[in-house]
Amino acid sequence: MAAGKFSFLIEQGSTVDFEIQYQDSDGTPVDLTGYQARMMIRPKIDSSTILMTLSSSLGPCNTGLNLAGAGGATANKPLASGSIGIYISHVSSSALNFDTYNKTAYYDLEIASGSGACATVTRVIEGTITLSNEVTKGSANTGYQY
């Protein structure tokens, strides 16, 4: 089955938190128990430069990919079997810079069952990401006066 096409916007300095549901050709959610997930963001599809890597091993501030039942950054997400939660903390999105690349980058998201050279890898979605640059900068814990 071909990867889905999905492009989205990241507002630099804001938290990105959404999920997709991976389904088989009959529309039935695929049980992702025992799977790992990975996603890379690059300035061009064939670039050796990696702007961000997300995986099912959560990174700083729980940035990463949560599979159904995995908990993580938002313990109640993903909500259903076959769901992949995509979470990028405000700290991680603040560090992104697409200015050199016309504010657009490319990504794909893959899942893998098994490990090593014999793993079964499936590309789930792919597309572009547009970055909207942040104007108000700083930590939520420092410097803000309301």
Side-chain angles (χ1 to χ4, degrees):
M1 191 162 69
K5 308 287 186 201
F6 180 68
S7 295
F8 62 98
L9 172 77
I10 293 177
E11 294 175 330
Q12 186 183 43
S14 294
T15 301
V16 175
D17 187 8
F18 67 94
E19 65 182 72
I20 61 163
Q21 189 171 65
Y22 181 53
Q23 302 173 343
D24 65 20
S25 58
D26 295 327
T28 303
V30 174
D31 182 359
L32 297 175
T33 302
Y35 280 74
Q36 300 84 41
R38 60 187 180 204
M39 176 175 147
M40 287 187 178
I41 302 172
R42 295 178 187 262
K44 295 184 182 209
I45 292 171
D46 58 354
S47 176
S48 62
T49 300
I50 300 170
L51 301 171
M52 179 177 278
T53 299
L54 302 173
S55 73
S56 45
S57 298
L58 301 181
C61 299
N62 292 320
T63 291
L65 305 169
N66 296 316
L67 303 180
T74 50
N76 59 347
K77 286 188 176 182
L79 299 175
S81 177
S83 291
I84 303 169
I86 299 167
Y87 186 89
I88 302 172
S89 73
H90 75 93
V91 173
S92 296
S93 77
S94 290
L96 289 172
N97 182 353
F98 295 3
D99 286 346
T100 309
Y101 316 108
N102 296 320
K103 300 195 184 306
T104 301
Y106 297 83
Y107 81 97
D108 63 10
L109 187 152
E110 298 175 336
I111 57 173
S113 174
S115 61
C118 296
T120 300
V121 177
T122 304
R123 186 183 315 165
V124 177
I125 58 172
E126 62 187 14
T128 59
I129 301 171
T130 303
L131 184 68
S132 173
N133 286 346
E134 177 178 32
V135 175
T136 304
K137 300 178 188 286
S139 168
N141 297 324
T142 60
Y144 285 133
Q145 297 293 319
Y146 295 101

